[in-house]
Amino acid sequence: MKTMKITSMLLLLGLFLTLSTNVYAQDPMTAAPNAYKKVLLENEKVRVMQIEIAPGEVVPWHSHPDHVIYALTDGKLEITEKDKAATVAEIKAGEAMFMPAVTHTGKNIGETTLKLIVTELKQGKASKMDKM
């Protein structure tokens, strides 16, 4: 009986820890289907996503591995990273930005729909080209 109680408590604790980290570490396609419109390409190296954020729209908490953002339109985005104060990014069409892995939320505080292409870099086996 005592072993069963300890096992149940450990399972409950594990479930709690898993759920609490997932609140902040959700896949953007699942956490924000309103903004993350579709996956344009996915393979063992990258995932490329099309994003559209309407004025005033909030993108819920989600996480990315290292990624590259390419802006299709100008815009103004308020970004809040986990455990940090919000910052405002003035985004210009044609800009490309490298971003390290992050957990964040965002809000379009501009007056136009912000359109982006996000390319997430996946960790994987090095190719022959990577070794050169």
Side-chain angles (χ1 to χ4, degrees):
M1 186 72 149
K2 193 175 191 178
T3 304
M4 186 181 242
K5 195 173 198 179
I6 291 171
T7 303
S8 296
M9 288 176 62
L10 288 174
L11 286 172
L12 186 59
L13 177 62
L15 179 61
F16 173 76
L17 291 174
T18 301
L19 291 176
S20 65
T21 56
N22 284 340
V23 167
Y24 288 107
Q26 289 197 18
D27 181 85
M29 295 299 296
T30 303
N34 57 316
Y36 285 78
K37 300 300 184 188
K38 66 180 175 177
V39 174
L40 301 172
L41 169 71
E42 184 164 14
N43 60 34
E44 67 280 351
K45 297 278 188 179
V46 298
R47 177 168 66 164
V48 181
M49 298 168 286
Q50 176 184 335
I51 302 166
E52 294 181 12
I53 309 169
E57 186 173 4
V58 174
V59 179
W61 285 101
H62 61 281
S63 296
H64 298 279
D66 290 348
H67 57 291
V68 176
I69 301 170
Y70 179 76
L72 298 172
T73 61
D74 293 347
K76 195 171 185 180
L77 190 62
E78 181 181 79
I79 303 165
T80 305
E81 292 183 32
K82 187 177 175 188
D83 301 325
K84 294 185 180 179
T87 59
V88 174
E90 295 276 348
I91 299 168
K92 299 291 179 201
E95 278 185 334
M97 301 156 272
F98 172 79
M99 304 295 289
V102 67
T103 297
H104 65 178
T105 183
K107 180 179 181 180
N108 182 345
I109 58 174
E111 297 180 11
T112 60
T113 297
L114 183 58
K115 296 180 181 183
L116 307 168
I117 301 295
V118 172
T119 302
E120 293 180 334
L121 308 174
K122 295 182 178 182
Q123 298 296 323
K125 295 178 182 176
S127 69
K128 290 179 184 176
M129 292 296 290
D130 295 336
K131 295 176 184 176
M132 296 179 132

